[in-house]
Amino acid sequence: TIRNENVSTFNDSSKSDSIEDKGFATGTPVFVELGMLAGAIQVSSGNSVYAGQSNELTNSTEYTVMGWFNMSSAGTAVTCGSDCISVYPIVTKGVGEVDGDAAKDVYMFIGVTANNRLAAGYEYQSAATSPGINATGTTSLNTDRWYHFAVIRNASSLVVMVNGIREAMNVSASTPPATNSSQRLGIGVAFNSANTSSGVFNGQIDEIAIFNRSMSEAEVVSFYNHSLGRKYWQVNVTDG
């Protein structure tokens, strides 16, 4: 889980193996005390977060990504390729670049479309091309409201879930994403292989968790249900 402790460094206890990362700020993302579950990060144009060492996140061809988001306004959309989705980025590893280069293909790409649907995608290498695999949800997402999201990439499908409900399943996802993508893992932004950022998510993001296996939908529902209504008081202590 990306835990948001201050405005410059964000502790990341998510693991694809035994390595722990930290998330680092680009610009000045704002730490918000009253997120969905305690603190959240507020991201906007030029103000986002990336994982310091994200290469281990691509060790697995299957994964589950989940978290909470609260979009305040439309952002700036970015695409994961010519036949891939275009979104305001929530969690990404890669962005549309050169086809046919596995190191520059998109490993995961999750965000909100211009018509306010949760969507996910990735690229896989096929000869000189990098076809896109996409799945787009059905809920019309409102601004200033918290939503739980989950994206599952299993052996055959790409699944999109909102608030514990499956909204989309692409069953033509048997070809996995390339596992040697070189881009940073971005929160509220997307990065290319030269670490140049693009795309903007405007709003708050909380409790991002990335797993190196495909969870069942029942497991995702359990995570969602256990987090409902869990708020924490912020206690400020002074010597006065």
Side-chain angles (χ1 to χ4, degrees):
T1 300
I2 304 286
R3 300 189 185 279
N4 314 307
E5 304 299 338
N6 57 56
V7 297
S8 61
T9 304
F10 301 87
N11 183 41
D12 174 9
S13 59
S14 65
K15 295 184 179 181
S16 180
D17 48 29
S18 61
I19 300 172
E20 289 193 13
D21 294 335
K22 287 186 179 295
F24 294 95
T26 58
T28 55
V30 178
F31 173 75
V32 181
E33 291 184 356
L34 297 178
M36 182 62 196
L37 301 177
I41 50 171
Q42 183 166 324
V43 293
S44 56
S45 179
N47 306 300
S48 56
V49 176
Y50 67 92
Q53 298 177 21
S54 58
N55 287 341
E56 71 271 14
L57 293 172
T58 55
N59 284 345
S60 176
T61 59
E62 300 185 16
Y63 52 75
T64 304
V65 186
M66 68 174 72
W68 291 85
F69 68 91
N70 183 343
M71 188 170 68
S72 58
S73 63
T76 301
V78 64
T79 182
C80 59
S82 59
D83 57 352
C84 201
I85 56 171
S86 179
V87 297
Y88 312 138
I90 298 175
V91 182
T92 65
K93 192 171 193 311
V95 69
E97 288 192 75
V98 179
D99 283 348
D101 185 342
K104 296 180 180 180
D105 283 346
V106 174
Y107 178 70
M108 66 173 67
F109 206 75
I110 304 166
V112 177
T113 65
N115 64 340
N116 296 332
R117 268 61 175 181
L118 182 70
Y122 69 85
E123 291 181 308
Y124 66 89
Q125 190 173 15
S126 175
T129 64
S130 299
I133 298 293
N134 309 301
T136 301
T138 57
T139 294
S140 181
L141 305 168
N142 296 316
T143 56
D144 300 318
R145 177 177 173 181
W146 282 102
Y147 292 93
H148 183 269
F149 77 92
V151 171
I152 305 166
R153 198 274 148 186
N154 59 35
S156 61
S157 304
L158 183 66
V159 179
V160 168
M161 301 179 68
V162 176
N163 290 345
I165 299 172
R166 186 221 299 164
E167 293 200 342
M169 174 186 287
N170 186 334
V171 296
S172 299
S174 58
T175 304
T179 58
N180 58 337
S181 68
S182 59
Q183 302 94 332
R184 288 173 170 173
L185 180 109
I187 308 294
V189 71
F191 291 96
N192 66 14
S193 54
N195 295 333
T196 301
S197 64
S198 58
V200 175
F201 180 88
N202 288 323
Q204 297 178 23
I205 299 174
D206 200 2
E207 298 299 313
I208 298 298
I210 302 171
F211 303 84
N212 67 337
R213 67 179 180 89
S214 56
M215 288 188 173
S216 68
E217 292 180 26
E219 288 179 287
V220 171
V221 171
S222 179
F223 270 85
Y224 168 66
N225 287 336
H226 277 87
S227 62
L228 286 177
R230 290 180 180 268
K231 301 282 187 177
Y232 298 93
W233 290 101
Q234 177 70 30
V235 179
N236 295 311
V237 178
T238 68
D239 58 2

PDB file of all heavy atoms in Angstrom, residues 57-90:
ATOM      1  N   LEU A  57       7.940  -4.584  -9.867  1.00  0.00           N
ATOM      2  CA  LEU A  57       6.499  -4.709 -10.054  1.00  0.00           C
ATOM      3  C   LEU A  57       6.157  -5.451 -11.335  1.00  0.00           C
ATOM      4  O   LEU A  57       5.038  -5.901 -11.514  1.00  0.00           O
ATOM      5  CB  LEU A  57       5.863  -3.320 -10.066  1.00  0.00           C
ATOM      6  CG  LEU A  57       5.918  -2.571  -8.732  1.00  0.00           C
ATOM      7  CD1 LEU A  57       5.435  -1.149  -8.918  1.00  0.00           C
ATOM      8  CD2 LEU A  57       5.080  -3.277  -7.688  1.00  0.00           C
ATOM      9  N   THR A  58       7.106  -5.564 -12.254  1.00  0.00           N
ATOM     10  CA  THR A  58       6.836  -6.250 -13.512  1.00  0.00           C
ATOM     11  C   THR A  58       7.371  -7.676 -13.516  1.00  0.00           C
ATOM     12  O   THR A  58       7.529  -8.282 -14.567  1.00  0.00           O
ATOM     13  CB  THR A  58       7.440  -5.469 -14.691  1.00  0.00           C
ATOM     14  OG1 THR A  58       8.834  -5.263 -14.462  1.00  0.00           O
ATOM     15  CG2 THR A  58       6.751  -4.133 -14.858  1.00  0.00           C
ATOM     16  N   ASN A  59       7.662  -8.217 -12.340  1.00  0.00           N
ATOM     17  CA  ASN A  59       8.146  -9.599 -12.279  1.00  0.00           C
ATOM     18  C   ASN A  59       7.043 -10.604 -12.605  1.00  0.00           C
ATOM     19  O   ASN A  59       7.330 -11.755 -12.907  1.00  0.00           O
ATOM     20  CB  ASN A  59       8.705  -9.917 -10.890  1.00  0.00           C
ATOM     21  CG  ASN A  59      10.079  -9.291 -10.686  1.00  0.00           C
ATOM     22  OD1 ASN A  59      10.722  -8.872 -11.627  1.00  0.00           O
ATOM     23  ND2 ASN A  59      10.511  -9.226  -9.440  1.00  0.00           N
ATOM     24  N   SER A  60       5.804 -10.210 -12.517  1.00  0.00           N
ATOM     25  CA  SER A  60       4.690 -11.122 -12.708  1.00  0.00           C
ATOM     26  C   SER A  60       3.847 -10.705 -13.906  1.00  0.00           C
ATOM     27  O   SER A  60       3.593  -9.516 -14.118  1.00  0.00           O
ATOM     28  CB  SER A  60       3.811 -11.159 -11.456  1.00  0.00           C
ATOM     29  OG  SER A  60       2.672 -11.965 -11.655  1.00  0.00           O
ATOM     30  N   THR A  61       3.392 -11.681 -14.689  1.00  0.00           N
ATOM     31  CA  THR A  61       2.488 -11.387 -15.794  1.00  0.00           C
ATOM     32  C   THR A  61       1.046 -11.240 -15.321  1.00  0.00           C
ATOM     33  O   THR A  61       0.181 -10.843 -16.093  1.00  0.00           O
ATOM     34  CB  THR A  61       2.557 -12.486 -16.860  1.00  0.00           C
ATOM     35  OG1 THR A  61       2.211 -13.737 -16.256  1.00  0.00           O
ATOM     36  CG2 THR A  61       3.949 -12.564 -17.464  1.00  0.00           C
ATOM     37  N   GLU A  62       0.786 -11.576 -14.063  1.00  0.00           N
ATOM     38  CA  GLU A  62      -0.529 -11.385 -13.471  1.00  0.00           C
ATOM     39  C   GLU A  62      -0.419 -10.392 -12.324  1.00  0.00           C
ATOM     40  O   GLU A  62       0.616 -10.339 -11.638  1.00  0.00           O
ATOM     41  CB  GLU A  62      -1.106 -12.714 -12.976  1.00  0.00           C
ATOM     42  CG  GLU A  62      -1.280 -13.742 -14.082  1.00  0.00           C
ATOM     43  CD  GLU A  62      -1.974 -15.009 -13.607  1.00  0.00           C
ATOM     44  OE1 GLU A  62      -2.596 -14.992 -12.524  1.00  0.00           O
ATOM     45  OE2 GLU A  62      -1.896 -16.018 -14.328  1.00  0.00           O
ATOM     46  N   TYR A  63      -1.454  -9.615 -12.114  1.00  0.00           N
ATOM     47  CA  TYR A  63      -1.412  -8.651 -11.018  1.00  0.00           C
ATOM     48  C   TYR A  63      -2.823  -8.232 -10.633  1.00  0.00           C
ATOM     49  O   TYR A  63      -3.795  -8.452 -11.368  1.00  0.00           O
ATOM     50  CB  TYR A  63      -0.584  -7.414 -11.384  1.00  0.00           C
ATOM     51  CG  TYR A  63      -0.939  -6.718 -12.678  1.00  0.00           C
ATOM     52  CD1 TYR A  63      -2.087  -5.916 -12.791  1.00  0.00           C
ATOM     53  CD2 TYR A  63      -0.117  -6.835 -13.802  1.00  0.00           C
ATOM     54  CE1 TYR A  63      -2.400  -5.273 -13.977  1.00  0.00           C
ATOM     55  CE2 TYR A  63      -0.420  -6.184 -14.997  1.00  0.00           C
ATOM     56  CZ  TYR A  63      -1.562  -5.397 -15.076  1.00  0.00           C
ATOM     57  OH  TYR A  63      -1.863  -4.758 -16.250  1.00  0.00           O
ATOM     58  N   THR A  64      -2.903  -7.621  -9.448  1.00  0.00           N
ATOM     59  CA  THR A  64      -4.125  -6.968  -8.986  1.00  0.00           C
ATOM     60  C   THR A  64      -3.735  -5.596  -8.462  1.00  0.00           C
ATOM     61  O   THR A  64      -2.780  -5.469  -7.699  1.00  0.00           O
ATOM     62  CB  THR A  64      -4.805  -7.762  -7.859  1.00  0.00           C
ATOM     63  OG1 THR A  64      -5.059  -9.097  -8.308  1.00  0.00           O
ATOM     64  CG2 THR A  64      -6.114  -7.104  -7.439  1.00  0.00           C
ATOM     65  N   VAL A  65      -4.444  -4.579  -8.891  1.00  0.00           N
ATOM     66  CA  VAL A  65      -4.221  -3.209  -8.433  1.00  0.00           C
ATOM     67  C   VAL A  65      -5.533  -2.693  -7.879  1.00  0.00           C
ATOM     68  O   VAL A  65      -6.587  -2.844  -8.512  1.00  0.00           O
ATOM     69  CB  VAL A  65      -3.745  -2.294  -9.578  1.00  0.00           C
ATOM     70  CG1 VAL A  65      -3.376  -0.911  -9.037  1.00  0.00           C
ATOM     71  CG2 VAL A  65      -2.578  -2.913 -10.323  1.00  0.00           C
ATOM     72  N   MET A  66      -5.481  -2.100  -6.688  1.00  0.00           N
ATOM     73  CA  MET A  66      -6.708  -1.547  -6.126  1.00  0.00           C
ATOM     74  C   MET A  66      -6.399  -0.310  -5.309  1.00  0.00           C
ATOM     75  O   MET A  66      -5.246  -0.030  -4.976  1.00  0.00           O
ATOM     76  CB  MET A  66      -7.449  -2.587  -5.278  1.00  0.00           C
ATOM     77  CG  MET A  66      -6.752  -2.976  -3.992  1.00  0.00           C
ATOM     78  SD  MET A  66      -7.784  -4.079  -2.965  1.00  0.00           S
ATOM     79  CE  MET A  66      -7.693  -5.601  -3.916  1.00  0.00           C
ATOM     80  N   GLY A  67      -7.439   0.432  -4.996  1.00  0.00           N
ATOM     81  CA  GLY A  67      -7.285   1.635  -4.190  1.00  0.00           C
ATOM     82  C   GLY A  67      -8.559   2.454  -4.226  1.00  0.00           C
ATOM     83  O   GLY A  67      -9.625   1.983  -4.658  1.00  0.00           O
ATOM     84  N   TRP A  68      -8.450   3.697  -3.757  1.00  0.00           N
ATOM     85  CA  TRP A  68      -9.578   4.623  -3.722  1.00  0.00           C
ATOM     86  C   TRP A  68      -9.202   5.898  -4.458  1.00  0.00           C
ATOM     87  O   TRP A  68      -8.040   6.319  -4.429  1.00  0.00           O
ATOM     88  CB  TRP A  68      -9.950   4.969  -2.282  1.00  0.00           C
ATOM     89  CG  TRP A  68     -10.537   3.851  -1.489  1.00  0.00           C
ATOM     90  CD1 TRP A  68      -9.868   2.885  -0.791  1.00  0.00           C
ATOM     91  CD2 TRP A  68     -11.927   3.578  -1.294  1.00  0.00           C
ATOM     92  NE1 TRP A  68     -10.744   2.027  -0.184  1.00  0.00           N
ATOM     93  CE2 TRP A  68     -12.018   2.426  -0.469  1.00  0.00           C
ATOM     94  CE3 TRP A  68     -13.100   4.197  -1.725  1.00  0.00           C
ATOM     95  CZ2 TRP A  68     -13.240   1.891  -0.072  1.00  0.00           C
ATOM     96  CZ3 TRP A  68     -14.319   3.663  -1.336  1.00  0.00           C
ATOM     97  CH2 TRP A  68     -14.379   2.519  -0.513  1.00  0.00           C
ATOM     98  N   PHE A  69     -10.166   6.516  -5.119  1.00  0.00           N
ATOM     99  CA  PHE A  69      -9.916   7.805  -5.752  1.00  0.00           C
ATOM    100  C   PHE A  69     -11.146   8.693  -5.625  1.00  0.00           C
ATOM    101  O   PHE A  69     -12.279   8.222  -5.503  1.00  0.00           O
ATOM    102  CB  PHE A  69      -9.531   7.645  -7.235  1.00  0.00           C
ATOM    103  CG  PHE A  69     -10.636   7.137  -8.121  1.00  0.00           C
ATOM    104  CD1 PHE A  69     -11.495   8.020  -8.765  1.00  0.00           C
ATOM    105  CD2 PHE A  69     -10.825   5.771  -8.310  1.00  0.00           C
ATOM    106  CE1 PHE A  69     -12.509   7.551  -9.583  1.00  0.00           C
ATOM    107  CE2 PHE A  69     -11.842   5.292  -9.128  1.00  0.00           C
ATOM    108  CZ  PHE A  69     -12.694   6.187  -9.765  1.00  0.00           C
ATOM    109  N   ASN A  70     -10.886   9.991  -5.657  1.00  0.00           N
ATOM    110  CA  ASN A  70     -11.939  11.005  -5.570  1.00  0.00           C
ATOM    111  C   ASN A  70     -11.551  12.107  -6.553  1.00  0.00           C
ATOM    112  O   ASN A  70     -10.666  12.906  -6.282  1.00  0.00           O
ATOM    113  CB  ASN A  70     -12.031  11.541  -4.142  1.00  0.00           C
ATOM    114  CG  ASN A  70     -13.163  12.546  -3.948  1.00  0.00           C
ATOM    115  OD1 ASN A  70     -13.692  13.098  -4.900  1.00  0.00           O
ATOM    116  ND2 ASN A  70     -13.507  12.796  -2.701  1.00  0.00           N
ATOM    117  N   MET A  71     -12.192  12.119  -7.707  1.00  0.00           N
ATOM    118  CA  MET A  71     -11.828  13.066  -8.764  1.00  0.00           C
ATOM    119  C   MET A  71     -12.536  14.394  -8.530  1.00  0.00           C
ATOM    120  O   MET A  71     -13.757  14.452  -8.378  1.00  0.00           O
ATOM    121  CB  MET A  71     -12.202  12.498 -10.127  1.00  0.00           C
ATOM    122  CG  MET A  71     -11.697  13.325 -11.295  1.00  0.00           C
ATOM    123  SD  MET A  71     -11.903  12.481 -12.898  1.00  0.00           S
ATOM    124  CE  MET A  71     -13.709  12.480 -13.035  1.00  0.00           C
ATOM    125  N   SER A  72     -11.764  15.488  -8.507  1.00  0.00           N
ATOM    126  CA  SER A  72     -12.347  16.807  -8.258  1.00  0.00           C
ATOM    127  C   SER A  72     -12.786  17.500  -9.535  1.00  0.00           C
ATOM    128  O   SER A  72     -13.720  18.313  -9.515  1.00  0.00           O
ATOM    129  CB  SER A  72     -11.345  17.686  -7.503  1.00  0.00           C
ATOM    130  OG  SER A  72     -10.140  17.822  -8.247  1.00  0.00           O
ATOM    131  N   SER A  73     -12.108  17.199 -10.647  1.00  0.00           N
ATOM    132  CA  SER A  73     -12.456  17.809 -11.928  1.00  0.00           C
ATOM    133  C   SER A  73     -11.790  17.009 -13.036  1.00  0.00           C
ATOM    134  O   SER A  73     -10.937  16.151 -12.777  1.00  0.00           O
ATOM    135  CB  SER A  73     -12.006  19.272 -11.991  1.00  0.00           C
ATOM    136  OG  SER A  73     -10.599  19.358 -11.902  1.00  0.00           O
ATOM    137  N   ALA A  74     -12.171  17.292 -14.261  1.00  0.00           N
ATOM    138  CA  ALA A  74     -11.538  16.615 -15.391  1.00  0.00           C
ATOM    139  C   ALA A  74     -10.043  16.904 -15.406  1.00  0.00           C
ATOM    140  O   ALA A  74      -9.602  18.011 -15.066  1.00  0.00           O
ATOM    141  CB  ALA A  74     -12.175  17.074 -16.696  1.00  0.00           C
ATOM    142  N   GLY A  75      -9.269  15.899 -15.798  1.00  0.00           N
ATOM    143  CA  GLY A  75      -7.833  16.075 -15.864  1.00  0.00           C
ATOM    144  C   GLY A  75      -7.360  16.243 -17.293  1.00  0.00           C
ATOM    145  O   GLY A  75      -8.080  16.794 -18.139  1.00  0.00           O
ATOM    146  N   THR A  76      -6.154  15.749 -17.557  1.00  0.00           N
ATOM    147  CA  THR A  76      -5.597  15.735 -18.910  1.00  0.00           C
ATOM    148  C   THR A  76      -5.382  14.285 -19.304  1.00  0.00           C
ATOM    149  O   THR A  76      -4.642  13.559 -18.634  1.00  0.00           O
ATOM    150  CB  THR A  76      -4.262  16.492 -18.975  1.00  0.00           C
ATOM    151  OG1 THR A  76      -4.472  17.844 -18.551  1.00  0.00           O
ATOM    152  CG2 THR A  76      -3.705  16.483 -20.389  1.00  0.00           C
ATOM    153  N   ALA A  77      -6.051  13.868 -20.360  1.00  0.00           N
ATOM    154  CA  ALA A  77      -5.997  12.457 -20.748  1.00  0.00           C
ATOM    155  C   ALA A  77      -4.687  12.134 -21.446  1.00  0.00           C
ATOM    156  O   ALA A  77      -4.081  12.977 -22.119  1.00  0.00           O
ATOM    157  CB  ALA A  77      -7.170  12.111 -21.647  1.00  0.00           C
ATOM    158  N   VAL A  78      -4.260  10.885 -21.282  1.00  0.00           N
ATOM    159  CA  VAL A  78      -3.072  10.366 -21.948  1.00  0.00           C
ATOM    160  C   VAL A  78      -3.395   8.939 -22.366  1.00  0.00           C
ATOM    161  O   VAL A  78      -4.224   8.269 -21.745  1.00  0.00           O
ATOM    162  CB  VAL A  78      -1.843  10.446 -21.012  1.00  0.00           C
ATOM    163  CG1 VAL A  78      -2.027   9.565 -19.789  1.00  0.00           C
ATOM    164  CG2 VAL A  78      -0.565  10.100 -21.747  1.00  0.00           C
ATOM    165  N   THR A  79      -2.763   8.456 -23.424  1.00  0.00           N
ATOM    166  CA  THR A  79      -3.098   7.145 -23.951  1.00  0.00           C
ATOM    167  C   THR A  79      -1.969   6.145 -23.752  1.00  0.00           C
ATOM    168  O   THR A  79      -0.796   6.529 -23.629  1.00  0.00           O
ATOM    169  CB  THR A  79      -3.434   7.234 -25.455  1.00  0.00           C
ATOM    170  OG1 THR A  79      -3.805   5.947 -25.932  1.00  0.00           O
ATOM    171  CG2 THR A  79      -2.240   7.739 -26.258  1.00  0.00           C
ATOM    172  N   CYS A  80      -2.333   4.877 -23.721  1.00  0.00           N
ATOM    173  CA  CYS A  80      -1.313   3.827 -23.624  1.00  0.00           C
ATOM    174  C   CYS A  80      -0.996   3.221 -24.990  1.00  0.00           C
ATOM    175  O   CYS A  80      -0.375   2.164 -25.074  1.00  0.00           O
ATOM    176  CB  CYS A  80      -1.724   2.746 -22.633  1.00  0.00           C
ATOM    177  SG  CYS A  80      -3.264   1.889 -22.971  1.00  0.00           S
ATOM    178  N   GLY A  81      -1.383   3.892 -26.067  1.00  0.00           N
ATOM    179  CA  GLY A  81      -1.034   3.409 -27.394  1.00  0.00           C
ATOM    180  C   GLY A  81      -2.121   3.687 -28.404  1.00  0.00           C
ATOM    181  O   GLY A  81      -3.230   4.122 -28.056  1.00  0.00           O
ATOM    182  N   SER A  82      -1.837   3.432 -29.675  1.00  0.00           N
ATOM    183  CA  SER A  82      -2.762   3.779 -30.743  1.00  0.00           C
ATOM    184  C   SER A  82      -4.074   3.011 -30.676  1.00  0.00           C
ATOM    185  O   SER A  82      -5.116   3.511 -31.098  1.00  0.00           O
ATOM    186  CB  SER A  82      -2.095   3.536 -32.104  1.00  0.00           C
ATOM    187  OG  SER A  82      -1.698   2.178 -32.227  1.00  0.00           O
ATOM    188  N   ASP A  83      -4.055   1.784 -30.149  1.00  0.00           N
ATOM    189  CA  ASP A  83      -5.294   1.019 -30.014  1.00  0.00           C
ATOM    190  C   ASP A  83      -5.582   0.714 -28.547  1.00  0.00           C
ATOM    191  O   ASP A  83      -6.185  -0.298 -28.213  1.00  0.00           O
ATOM    192  CB  ASP A  83      -5.225  -0.283 -30.822  1.00  0.00           C
ATOM    193  CG  ASP A  83      -4.057  -1.161 -30.425  1.00  0.00           C
ATOM    194  OD1 ASP A  83      -3.214  -0.699 -29.627  1.00  0.00           O
ATOM    195  OD2 ASP A  83      -3.989  -2.309 -30.900  1.00  0.00           O
ATOM    196  N   CYS A  84      -5.142   1.619 -27.682  1.00  0.00           N
ATOM    197  CA  CYS A  84      -5.319   1.441 -26.240  1.00  0.00           C
ATOM    198  C   CYS A  84      -6.164   2.600 -25.703  1.00  0.00           C
ATOM    199  O   CYS A  84      -6.499   3.536 -26.424  1.00  0.00           O
ATOM    200  CB  CYS A  84      -3.939   1.392 -25.571  1.00  0.00           C
ATOM    201  SG  CYS A  84      -3.923   0.594 -23.942  1.00  0.00           S
ATOM    202  N   ILE A  85      -6.526   2.536 -24.435  1.00  0.00           N
ATOM    203  CA  ILE A  85      -7.412   3.518 -23.822  1.00  0.00           C
ATOM    204  C   ILE A  85      -6.718   4.860 -23.628  1.00  0.00           C
ATOM    205  O   ILE A  85      -5.495   4.963 -23.630  1.00  0.00           O
ATOM    206  CB  ILE A  85      -7.929   3.012 -22.463  1.00  0.00           C
ATOM    207  CG1 ILE A  85      -6.755   2.652 -21.538  1.00  0.00           C
ATOM    208  CG2 ILE A  85      -8.879   1.848 -22.638  1.00  0.00           C
ATOM    209  CD1 ILE A  85      -7.147   2.348 -20.122  1.00  0.00           C
ATOM    210  N   SER A  86      -7.533   5.892 -23.442  1.00  0.00           N
ATOM    211  CA  SER A  86      -7.057   7.230 -23.094  1.00  0.00           C
ATOM    212  C   SER A  86      -7.747   7.632 -21.796  1.00  0.00           C
ATOM    213  O   SER A  86      -8.973   7.592 -21.713  1.00  0.00           O
ATOM    214  CB  SER A  86      -7.385   8.217 -24.211  1.00  0.00           C
ATOM    215  OG  SER A  86      -6.953   9.515 -23.885  1.00  0.00           O
ATOM    216  N   VAL A  87      -6.955   7.999 -20.770  1.00  0.00           N
ATOM    217  CA  VAL A  87      -7.526   8.232 -19.439  1.00  0.00           C
ATOM    218  C   VAL A  87      -6.828   9.379 -18.724  1.00  0.00           C
ATOM    219  O   VAL A  87      -5.719   9.777 -19.081  1.00  0.00           O
ATOM    220  CB  VAL A  87      -7.410   6.967 -18.555  1.00  0.00           C
ATOM    221  CG1 VAL A  87      -8.197   5.803 -19.115  1.00  0.00           C
ATOM    222  CG2 VAL A  87      -5.945   6.582 -18.337  1.00  0.00           C
ATOM    223  N   TYR A  88      -7.515   9.877 -17.688  1.00  0.00           N
ATOM    224  CA  TYR A  88      -6.860  10.679 -16.666  1.00  0.00           C
ATOM    225  C   TYR A  88      -6.190   9.663 -15.745  1.00  0.00           C
ATOM    226  O   TYR A  88      -6.875   8.866 -15.089  1.00  0.00           O
ATOM    227  CB  TYR A  88      -7.864  11.505 -15.878  1.00  0.00           C
ATOM    228  CG  TYR A  88      -8.866  12.282 -16.719  1.00  0.00           C
ATOM    229  CD1 TYR A  88     -10.206  12.339 -16.344  1.00  0.00           C
ATOM    230  CD2 TYR A  88      -8.486  12.947 -17.885  1.00  0.00           C
ATOM    231  CE1 TYR A  88     -11.133  13.048 -17.095  1.00  0.00           C
ATOM    232  CE2 TYR A  88      -9.402  13.651 -18.644  1.00  0.00           C
ATOM    233  CZ  TYR A  88     -10.732  13.701 -18.242  1.00  0.00           C
ATOM    234  OH  TYR A  88     -11.663  14.393 -19.000  1.00  0.00           O
ATOM    235  N   PRO A  89      -4.866   9.646 -15.662  1.00  0.00           N
ATOM    236  CA  PRO A  89      -4.178   8.500 -15.055  1.00  0.00           C
ATOM    237  C   PRO A  89      -4.289   8.447 -13.528  1.00  0.00           C
ATOM    238  O   PRO A  89      -4.053   9.434 -12.840  1.00  0.00           O
ATOM    239  CB  PRO A  89      -2.715   8.712 -15.478  1.00  0.00           C
ATOM    240  CG  PRO A  89      -2.608  10.202 -15.689  1.00  0.00           C
ATOM    241  CD  PRO A  89      -3.937  10.649 -16.223  1.00  0.00           C
ATOM    242  N   ILE A  90      -4.643   7.265 -13.016  1.00  0.00           N
ATOM    243  CA  ILE A  90      -4.623   7.011 -11.572  1.00  0.00           C
ATOM    244  C   ILE A  90      -3.363   6.235 -11.211  1.00  0.00           C
ATOM    245  O   ILE A  90      -2.568   6.685 -10.375  1.00  0.00           O
ATOM    246  CB  ILE A  90      -5.882   6.239 -11.129  1.00  0.00           C
ATOM    247  CG1 ILE A  90      -7.137   7.058 -11.406  1.00  0.00           C
ATOM    248  CG2 ILE A  90      -5.801   5.900  -9.635  1.00  0.00           C
ATOM    249  CD1 ILE A  90      -8.435   6.325 -11.109  1.00  0.00           C
TER     250      ILE A  90
END
